[in-house]
Amino acid sequence: MNGMSWSIEFLPLVSWPILGGLAAIGALLLLLLLWRSRRGALLRGTAYALLLLALANPHFKKEEREPLNDVVAVVVDDSQSQAVAGRTTRTAELQQELEKRLRELPNLDLRVIHSSSAADNPDRDGSFLFTDLAKGLADTPPERLAGVVMLTDGQVHDVPKTAAELNIDAPIHAIVPGKKNEFDRRLKLLAAPRFGLVGESQTVELQVEETGGRPAKPIALTIKRQGEDPLTETVTPGEKVSIPVMIDHAGANIVEIAAEVDPEELTGLNNRTVLTIEGVRENLRVLLVSGEPYAGERTWRNMLKSDASVDLVHFTILRPPEKQDGTPINQLSLIAFPTRELFQEKLEEFDLIIFDRYQRRGVLPLAYLDNVSRYVLRGGAVLVAAGEDYASPLSLFRTPLAYVLPAEPTGRVINEPFKPKPTDLGERHPVTRDLPGGGEKPRWGSWFRNVEATPNDAEIVMEGAEGNPLLVLAERGEGRVALLLSDQAWLWARGYEGGGPYTGLLRRLAHWLMKEPELEEEQLHASSRGQTITIERQTIKDEVEPVSLSGPTGDTRSVTLKESEPGVWRAQVNVSEQGIYQVSAGELASVVTVGNANTRELAAVTASDEALKPVLDETGGGSYWLGRKDGEADEMPRIVMLGSSKMMHGDDWLGLHRRDAYRVTGASLYPLFNGYVALALLLGLMALAWYREGR
């Protein structure tokens, strides 16, 4: 309903400073007249004051006002900590009841502001209710705000030091969907390494914390590494624990640590953490044994020596024992081939052994080659680059090494031009997939020799002349072996007919043999950018099953991957929560961090009003504990509209400030002193002053 209001407004004919100066002069003159007891002093002063009033030009002002509704803001905490212990459901119930009661009040506008976690802003780590409140009320004048009601567990991370910083002159209340003194247990990382040398141990420091005032009792701590049986330790909450973690391989070493879940605690989500420690090899030790000098020997050596991370030991058999040509002893090599030291005492120290055109000539006793076979079965790696020697009676296949070799020679050597080509399996295998210049018709230079061989429980990833196997891979025991059935890969390095991906192929081959994770046939990777997770599955299978994606609050979803290129399947998933996500597919697993891994949202999940209490007290608001479930909660407080009061809450009532705001729709001005009225008053007072003086 519109209303009217009367008031007096001055529209001075001269500026206020001039009026002030004239008033000061008049006051001094009046004091002087009174001090000298002059007759008519008061009349003269009154006439002067009336003159000043006329110069101030007073008007009656009539305003037509339209009343405005008060505004109440309801801030709903939708952050991660609200998702535990049934708070999401309880908060929705409280919000529905609160909105219903507020809408029943006359002349009150309701504004609901949802404050979520990092969905819209990946840089946010925590609950920022006051930041979102300021944004939600940006278009609301402070004089219209009746109050703020927050539905939150109290874990708010942007509480101002004083209410004055908010520019809000209204009560702020908190309705907490929780119980006091809630019990919860969480795992807190104190120190976690990001990198570690392969074969060495790294230490993870952590602490189990409990809230709720219960006495600390020993609990079980489970440490689980991918592909291994879990280990269990007994720890006491509040004490620092050091856990050694062995770095077994290069790449991601995934470790899951979980504290025992108590049936009475709020949630077990913050009882576990997943760590990724990148394994780094200090140096790769490679033993290269060349059976005889030839054009490709120098190429092998240059390729391996160009890699700063490779420690190379290279021996070339220049003069086999059966060669009796009368060469003087003083013209032979002064460095004897340390066969016993290399192939018996220090064999296990090498990460890779390469036999390049080596054939059995008595330099290495069969017992040493048997050691190499055992070395492979125990986890070692062997690469054989074979030429005509592999098809001869002196072939390595005629030694104990045959037990691990992946193909048996037929005795035939094909000497004709051919271009190496990946097989169907090779198109998907990480060793030969997407090599530069490849495809259905590779743009590589030709080779001229291919040893014919029959694979045995092995993978053929490249084919050569007449479709025969060229590159054969196999796993033997805990180790791996590769067989290149040609000794002419060096033609690519020399650029013959345009060359080929010589360095790339051989490096990939060496890394696959040494089980580098990026060259594994079956891999699962996850990476994040903003709030988007990219899942990549590398496989040699024709089809892959969906992967499982688990979020930091325990929700799990199934994600279907699509083949983006041969052997690589991908999918992108948008997520709303910060923290650690785990991707799994059978025995494969990977972890990825979105935003902050140790997010504040899950660091403390117990309901509390301690952080909000200073602001609530300063604005006259209060906190109301309404439980996690309707059956264990108090009733919703009554809502009372108050004109003005320092205390805006009680045990069972919640106060809002009645603002009586309005908008002026029209105004009229009526002058109090028009020209004739002012002149008549001034002349009348002057006449009285003269009359008084005349007497």
Side-chain angles (χ1 to χ4, degrees):
M1 179 181 293
N2 294 342
M4 289 187 298
S5 175
W6 290 89
S7 61
I8 295 178
E9 185 168 335
F10 293 92
L11 301 175
L13 300 176
V14 295
S15 64
W16 285 110
I18 295 177
L19 278 176
L22 294 175
I25 293 172
L28 290 174
L29 292 175
L30 179 61
L31 292 174
L32 180 62
L33 292 174
L34 292 174
W35 179 62
R36 300 186 65 176
S37 302
R38 292 296 182 93
R39 294 179 178 181
L42 292 177
L43 289 175
R44 290 174 182 270
T46 304
Y48 190 80
L50 194 60
L51 176 62
L52 293 179
L53 185 62
L55 291 175
N57 194 19
H59 287 69
F60 275 122
K61 182 179 181 181
K62 183 182 74 171
E63 289 184 344
E64 295 181 4
R65 297 179 177 180
E66 178 183 348
L68 297 176
N69 289 345
D70 296 336
V71 176
V72 59
V74 175
V75 184
V76 183
D77 186 353
D78 292 333
S79 59
Q80 287 176 263
S81 60
Q82 281 283 85
V84 303
R87 290 179 187 157
T88 302
T89 302
R90 180 61 178 155
T91 300
E93 295 173 353
L94 294 173
Q95 179 185 350
Q96 183 178 2
E97 177 65 19
L98 180 62
E99 290 183 18
K100 177 183 176 182
R101 297 193 181 189
L102 290 172
R103 287 193 173 96
E104 291 175 350
L105 297 177
N107 305 323
L108 188 66
D109 290 341
L110 173 63
R111 182 164 299 183
V112 179
I113 302 170
H114 286 271
S115 178
S116 60
S117 48
D120 300 323
N121 186 358
D123 296 329
R124 296 189 0 163
D125 178 24
S127 299
F128 294 89
L129 271 60
F130 288 92
T131 301
D132 294 331
L133 172 65
K135 293 179 180 178
L137 295 179
D139 60 346
T140 301
E143 59 269 15
R144 289 187 60 192
L145 185 62
V148 178
V149 183
M150 293 184 169
L151 288 167
T152 176
D153 58 5
Q155 297 295 345
V156 183
H157 304 104
D158 65 341
V159 181
K161 294 181 179 179
T162 64
E165 298 179 19
L166 299 173
N167 193 27
I168 290 178
D169 182 21
I172 299 176
H173 306 279
I175 295 180
V176 184
K179 298 190 301 182
K180 295 183 179 181
N181 299 321
E182 292 176 324
F183 172 69
D184 189 56
R185 177 182 295 156
R186 74 182 184 99
L187 202 60
K188 181 180 180 181
L189 282 176
L190 302 178
R194 296 180 57 191
F195 302 94
L197 294 177
V198 175
E200 296 187 3
S201 178
Q202 295 291 322
T203 300
V204 176
E205 294 183 354
L206 53 86
Q207 186 176 14
V208 178
E209 295 185 346
E210 291 183 346
T211 58
R214 286 179 24 171
K217 296 181 180 179
I219 62 171
L221 193 68
T222 303
I223 303 99
K224 184 178 181 181
R225 300 189 55 200
Q226 186 177 353
E228 297 184 4
D229 294 332
L231 301 175
T232 302
E233 291 189 12
T234 300
V235 300
T236 301
E239 296 181 357
K240 185 173 74 172
V241 181
S242 298
I243 299 176
V245 177
M246 177 60 68
I247 309 301
D248 288 336
H249 56 80
N253 291 259
I254 300 175
V255 182
E256 180 180 348
I257 305 174
E260 178 183 344
V261 178
D262 191 287
E264 297 182 5
E265 67 175 306
L266 283 178
T267 177
L269 296 175
N270 51 4
N271 291 37
R272 61 183 288 271
T273 186
V274 181
L275 305 175
T276 300
I277 304 176
E278 289 291 330
V280 180
R281 294 185 184 273
E282 186 174 11
N283 271 317
L284 304 178
R285 299 204 63 197
V286 179
L287 173 61
L288 173 61
V289 181
S290 298
E292 57 183 310
Y294 78 109
E297 176 196 13
R298 177 64 60 179
T299 305
W300 272 105
R301 179 181 179 86
N302 290 343
M303 189 272 290
L304 293 170
K305 292 292 289 184
S306 66
D307 193 336
S309 64
V310 172
D311 288 340
L312 177 65
V313 177
H314 183 201
F315 286 94
T316 301
I317 301 174
L318 301 176
R319 186 173 183 274
E322 72 272 10
K323 186 175 182 180
Q324 302 294 333
D325 55 2
T327 303
I329 296 296
N330 60 359
Q331 296 181 17
L332 297 179
S333 171
L334 298 180
I335 303 176
F337 192 175
T339 55
R340 184 175 184 276
E341 181 181 4
L342 292 177
F343 289 91
Q344 184 167 331
E345 296 178 0
K346 297 185 176 181
L347 185 64
E348 300 292 339
E349 296 181 6
F350 288 99
D351 298 297
L352 174 64
I353 299 175
I354 302 175
F355 289 99
D356 178 29
R357 282 182 60 164
Y358 179 86
Q359 55 184 320
R360 179 167 54 88
R361 288 178 170 176
V363 175
L364 293 179
L366 296 182
Y368 290 171
L369 294 177
D370 184 58
N371 289 344
V372 176
S373 292
R374 297 176 185 274
Y375 157 81
V376 172
L377 296 176
R378 291 193 296 266
V382 167
L383 169 61
V384 176
E388 293 178 335
D389 55 275
Y390 196 68
S392 70
L394 299 178
S395 169
L396 277 175
F397 197 81
R398 313 302 173 189
T399 71
L401 198 59
Y403 185 72
V404 296
L405 290 175
E408 179 179 358
T410 63
R412 179 186 174 211
V413 179
I414 304 173
N415 293 297
E416 62 181 43
F418 68 91
K419 290 190 176 182
K421 178 183 177 182
T423 62
D424 291 341
L425 175 62
E427 293 286 349
R428 302 189 299 271
H429 201 284
V431 172
T432 50
R433 187 186 67 236
D434 64 21
L435 284 171
E440 293 185 3
K441 295 182 179 180
R443 302 184 302 277
W444 301 329
S446 299
W447 294 1
F448 296 89
R449 183 178 295 122
N450 189 181
V451 180
E452 188 178 70
T454 303
N456 176 27
D457 190 21
E459 298 174 341
I460 304 172
V461 295
M462 294 189 75
E463 60 184 22
E466 301 177 3
N468 284 293
L470 180 63
L471 179 57
V472 186
L473 311 178
E475 296 191 8
R476 296 290 186 260
E478 297 180 4
R480 292 178 176 178
V481 61
L483 176 61
L484 183 61
L485 291 163
S486 177
D487 57 355
Q488 298 200 332
W490 59 273
L491 291 172
W492 279 356
R494 298 287 180 87
Y496 178 75
E497 291 185 355
Y502 173 80
T503 302
L505 175 62
L506 296 185
R507 280 183 176 170
R508 287 188 189 185
L509 191 55
H511 288 172
W512 177 84
L513 287 165
M514 291 183 288
K515 300 181 180 180
E516 294 293 331
E518 66 271 12
L519 270 299
E520 290 294 314
E521 295 96 326
E522 302 295 328
Q523 296 182 55
L524 187 62
H525 296 292
S527 59
S528 67
R529 184 174 183 179
Q531 295 296 122
T532 300
I533 295 177
T534 300
I535 302 172
E536 181 177 291
R537 171 75 189 275
Q538 182 171 291
T539 180
I540 58 177
K541 299 177 182 178
D542 295 328
E543 298 290 337
V544 297
E545 66 278 5
V547 301
S548 175
L549 177 64
S550 300
T553 55
D555 60 306
T556 302
R557 70 178 84 174
S558 180
V559 180
T560 301
L561 307 180
K562 294 183 178 180
E563 190 172 20
S564 58
E565 59 184 270
V568 179
W569 301 65
R570 292 189 178 94
Q572 287 189 333
V573 182
N574 292 323
V575 297
S576 59
E577 300 173 340
Q578 289 191 350
I580 298 176
Y581 287 78
Q582 185 168 7
V583 184
S584 60
E587 296 182 355
L588 300 176
S590 180
V591 294
V592 60
T593 299
V594 175
N596 191 345
N598 299 312
T599 173
R600 289 190 288 183
E601 277 298 300
L602 294 180
V605 296
T606 53
S608 171
D609 61 355
E610 292 183 6
L612 295 171
K613 190 172 180 57
V615 172
L616 302 184
D617 293 343
E618 190 174 347
T619 61
S623 57
Y624 306 88
W625 292 77
L626 299 187
R628 299 193 301 268
K629 299 177 182 178
D630 195 11
E632 63 185 14
D634 296 331
E635 293 184 359
M636 177 74 71
R638 294 179 296 110
I639 301 175
V640 180
M641 300 297 297
L642 301 175
S644 178
S645 175
K646 291 184 178 180
M647 182 60 66
M648 300 292 290
H649 76 281
D651 293 338
D652 61 348
W653 63 275
L654 177 154
L656 298 178
H657 192 180
R658 186 172 58 249
R659 310 298 298 197
D660 295 328
Y662 60 88
R663 178 173 58 206
V664 177
T665 59
S668 301
L669 295 174
Y670 303 97
L672 290 177
F673 285 87
N674 56 32
Y676 295 108
V677 174
L679 181 60
L681 289 173
L682 288 172
L683 291 176
L685 287 174
M686 291 175 66
L688 286 174
W690 287 332
Y691 174 74
R692 181 73 180 85
E693 287 182 1
R695 296 186 63 185

